[in-house]
Amino acid sequence: MKKNYFFKQCIFLCAMLLGIMGLQGQTIIFQEDFSGFTDSISTDISSSLNNYTAVAGWTGSKVYRNIGKIKLGTASALGWIKTPAIDLSGNGGSFTLSFDAEAWFHDSTTIKVYVNDEMYTVTGLDNDGSYGSYNSFTLNLTGGTAATQIRFEGKQASKGRFFLDNVVISQNTGVVSTAAPAFTPAAGTYTEPVSVTMSCATTGATIYYTLDGTTPTTSSSVYVSPVTISQTTTLKAFAAAAGYANSTVTSATYTFPVQVANIAAFKALSAGSQPYTIANDVTFVFHSGSYTYVKDASAGLLVYGTGFTTDFTEGDQISNLTGSYSAYQGQIEMTNAQSPAAATSNTGAVTPITVTMSELLTNYSQYDAQLITLENVTFPDGFTGANSTDITQGSDQMVVYNRFNLDTTLAANTITNVTGFAAIYGTSIQIYPRNNSDLQASTPQPSLSITAPANGSNLSSLDTLPIGISIENFVLGTDGYLKIESPLLTTAGLTNPLYIDQTGLTTLLQSVFSPLPAGTHTITASLVDMTQAPLTPAVTATTTFTVTMPQLSTPTYINFFFIFFLIFKIIIY
């Protein structure tokens, strides 16, 4: 971040004077340090660039002031800026372009530079969000004319934002330099060995190169045929030709990923630019914008960015997923992912993991980036499509984040099942539903309990038998029946099992049975549907109790007319 503009202008003035004096044969032809961009605003100033630039004639689109530098592009719109016409016809049209650039956090690390209509790709911009750690780039170019225009442009419209500063164009004076070597293919990340061809536009030039990152000399290896590179290597080369000054050094790094066993092993790494390849296949789960979710047997993973250019279907198996490790606000991500090859097979739809909110909050790392379902959660304030909405389950609370632009609504205190991806932002554990159907209204489940006689209780044979049954979310005679099973029913001359609806229950409540037979007895109650089939899942309750005969002080011989006294006290919610 630049604060001392006077110092900055002095540095550029000294550079210009040295250039005019012919220091090292270089003359500065054009420069712009964007010192006139003294504040930071979110208004596109591309129609008024002459008010801010040191040299008039710049044009562009989606250009923004950013305190001594410019920001180009938005999250979804391509940004570019083009110099005025510059006379670069001298020195055979060869010239040197240098500039500083930095990518927006998590945006593409590549930009494009056009010399008239000729495009050059520049890679390696920092995008770690430090904002100030600019990369300096120097390009030795050809094709200069009397009216050359140079255009700086993002790689793509989506996530192609970058910052630009300190543009300097210079040309050699005196002895003409040998053209710098060109490498084909260019620097980048590769998963297979690459054969690199080196070429020079100057006739008769000899190319000297190194593969260990050191600066080459005339004692270094001489290029004769393509060089095969199969591991991470920095290739440097310069060209020399009779009657010419030696060229500048061209440098390119060819990066090869390190292999890790699975997603869990990848997530155990540390942040850095080194790419990694996940050895086992991963399952494609979901993609929207810059968010792609994959999983394997070990874990789930968010792949962030625009690297996925192949269309995949849920359940597709992806081989050799490659990218770099990153962590943003606690969320582990794979960034700078290479577009995978087509799926090798498909294992079908991905089943969400059903988890309680308490378990998710306690053991989040086990569910990070996994597709999960939280059942019967409450939306205290409803859902209106806002970014963040609170949900509760019992005493636990967390956030539904509307990452994928759901447009449904829910009334306050709606109880739903929520499916989505487990996510974290700072200390906030969240869930990202994929679409409207992931907010599925839940049907309250029937429940049944026997409240009396209490399980394990003791009764006298002279007692009546109090039975209390609590039924919730189930209407007898409409949703099904109450099924009662016990040998006591047979003793009382009733059918065992007994199926009763609300009317039958009322009739039974008007009957009186007495006394109770001695022994240990079990009563089992269950809810069944209208065909008398058990519910799925089963809803049952059981109680076991003991009945004993009273102790008589003198022998008494009484013939009891054995009638079973049964009173049902039904509590229906």
Side-chain angles (χ1 to χ4, degrees), residues 191 257-260 263 266 275-284 292-295 301-303 307-308 312 318-324 334 336-341:
T191 57
V258 174
Q259 193 170 86
V260 294
I263 290 177
F266 175 85
Y276 296 89
T277 294
I278 297 175
N280 67 326
D281 286 357
V282 300
T283 301
F284 175 85
T292 302
Y293 288 89
V294 297
K295 68 181 293 291
L301 178 64
L302 166 61
V303 182
F308 269 67
F312 291 98
I318 300 173
S319 300
N320 299 317
L321 181 62
T322 300
S324 300
M334 175 181 281
N336 301 320
Q338 299 180 22
S339 183

Side-chain angles (χ1 to χ4, degrees), residues 14 81 86 88 107 127-128 158 177 198 209 222 254 280 324 328 337 342 356 381 403 444 472 515 529 536 556:
C14 290
I81 192 168
I86 306 167
L88 297 176
D107 279 18
N127 70 344
D128 59 5
S158 175
S177 294
M198 299 178 233
Y209 70 94
V222 174
Y254 296 85
N280 67 326
S324 300
Y328 176 65
T356 65
D381 301 318
R403 172 66 65 192
E472 295 183 1
D529 64 20
T536 303
T556 303

Side-chain angles (χ1 to χ4, degrees), residues 353-423:
I353 302 170
T354 299
V355 60
T356 65
M357 194 178 295
S358 175
E359 167 66 9
L360 178 63
L361 296 174
T362 302
N363 299 301
Y364 172 76
S365 62
Q366 298 180 20
Y367 303 98
D368 174 63
Q370 292 273 27
L371 184 65
I372 64 170
T373 294
L374 300 171
E375 293 185 331
N376 298 323
V377 300
T378 300
F379 284 72
D381 301 318
F383 181 82
T384 60
N387 282 345
S388 297
T389 304
D390 290 337
I391 55 174
T392 61
Q393 189 183 66
S395 61
D396 296 307
Q397 178 176 317
M398 57 180 288
V399 167
V400 168
Y401 192 86
N402 192 12
R403 172 66 65 192
F404 303 119
N405 302 316
L406 278 62
D407 58 4
T408 190
T409 58
L410 298 174
N413 297 313
T414 296
I415 298 176
T416 72
N417 296 338
V418 179
T419 298
F421 294 99

Side-chain angles (χ1 to χ4, degrees), residues 450-468 488 513 515-523 543-551 564-567:
I450 299 177
T451 59
N455 191 53
S457 61
N458 292 294
L459 300 174
S460 168
S461 62
L462 299 179
D463 290 337
T464 59
L465 182 65
I467 293 185
L488 289 173
F513 302 91
L516 301 177
T520 299
H521 305 288
T522 297
I523 298 176
T543 186
T544 299
F545 58 97
T546 301
V547 176
T548 58
M549 294 290 291
Q551 297 296 319
F564 183 59
F565 176 63
L566 181 63
I567 299 176

Side-chain angles (χ1 to χ4, degrees), residues 175-499:
V175 178
V176 175
S177 294
T178 307
F183 301 156
T184 305
T189 299
Y190 297 88
T191 57
E192 300 292 337
V194 59
S195 181
V196 180
T197 299
M198 299 178 233
S199 59
C200 179
T202 303
T203 302
T206 299
I207 298 174
Y208 301 89
Y209 70 94
T210 60
L211 296 171
D212 58 3
T214 61
T215 301
T217 68
T218 52
S219 299
S220 300
S221 299
V222 174
Y223 176 76
V224 177
S225 60
V227 176
T228 299
I229 297 176
S230 58
Q231 61 185 6
T232 299
T233 299
T234 298
L235 170 63
K236 292 187 176 182
F238 77 95
Y244 294 83
N246 290 347
S247 75
T248 56
V249 175
T250 301
S251 178
T253 298
Y254 296 85
T255 303
F256 289 79
V258 174
Q259 193 170 86
V260 294
N262 51 32
I263 290 177
F266 175 85
K267 295 175 81 168
L269 300 170
S270 299
S273 59
Q274 169 65 48
Y276 296 89
T277 294
I278 297 175
N280 67 326
D281 286 357
V282 300
T283 301
F284 175 85
V285 183
F286 177 75
H287 171 79
S288 178
S290 296
Y291 290 78
T292 302
Y293 288 89
V294 297
K295 68 181 293 291
D296 63 12
S298 70
L301 178 64
L302 166 61
V303 182
Y304 182 85
T306 57
F308 269 67
T309 57
T310 302
D311 290 331
F312 291 98
T313 301
E314 182 178 340
D316 278 351
Q317 299 300 292
I318 300 173
S319 300
N320 299 317
L321 181 62
T322 300
S324 300
Y325 177 103
S326 179
Y328 176 65
Q329 293 291 339
Q331 181 68 64
I332 296 174
E333 306 168 344
M334 175 181 281
T335 56
N336 301 320
Q338 299 180 22
S339 183
T344 56
S345 62
N346 186 286
T347 56
V350 175
T351 302
I353 302 170
T354 299
V355 60
T356 65
M357 194 178 295
S358 175
E359 167 66 9
L360 178 63
L361 296 174
T362 302
N363 299 301
Y364 172 76
S365 62
Q366 298 180 20
Y367 303 98
D368 174 63
Q370 292 273 27
L371 184 65
I372 64 170
T373 294
L374 300 171
E375 293 185 331
N376 298 323
V377 300
T378 300
F379 284 72
D381 301 318
F383 181 82
T384 60
N387 282 345
S388 297
T389 304
D390 290 337
I391 55 174
T392 61
Q393 189 183 66
S395 61
D396 296 307
Q397 178 176 317
M398 57 180 288
V399 167
V400 168
Y401 192 86
N402 192 12
R403 172 66 65 192
F404 303 119
N405 302 316
L406 278 62
D407 58 4
T408 190
T409 58
L410 298 174
N413 297 313
T414 296
I415 298 176
T416 72
N417 296 338
V418 179
T419 298
F421 294 99
I424 188 169
Y425 185 85
T427 59
S428 174
I429 293 175
Q430 305 175 347
I431 184 170
Y432 297 169
R434 299 163 297 178
N435 46 52
N436 291 342
S437 63
D438 276 348
L439 302 185
Q440 180 184 22
S442 57
T443 302
Q445 296 299 306
S447 66
L448 169 67
S449 62
I450 299 177
T451 59
N455 191 53
S457 61
N458 292 294
L459 300 174
S460 168
S461 62
L462 299 179
D463 290 337
T464 59
L465 182 65
I467 293 185
I469 295 181
S470 174
I471 301 174
E472 295 183 1
N473 306 317
F474 191 86
V475 179
L476 292 177
T478 300
D479 297 327
Y481 300 100
L482 175 63
K483 176 184 178 182
I484 302 176
E485 299 174 89
S486 175
L488 289 173
L489 294 173
T490 303
T491 302
L494 299 175
T495 301
N496 183 25
L498 182 66
Y499 297 88

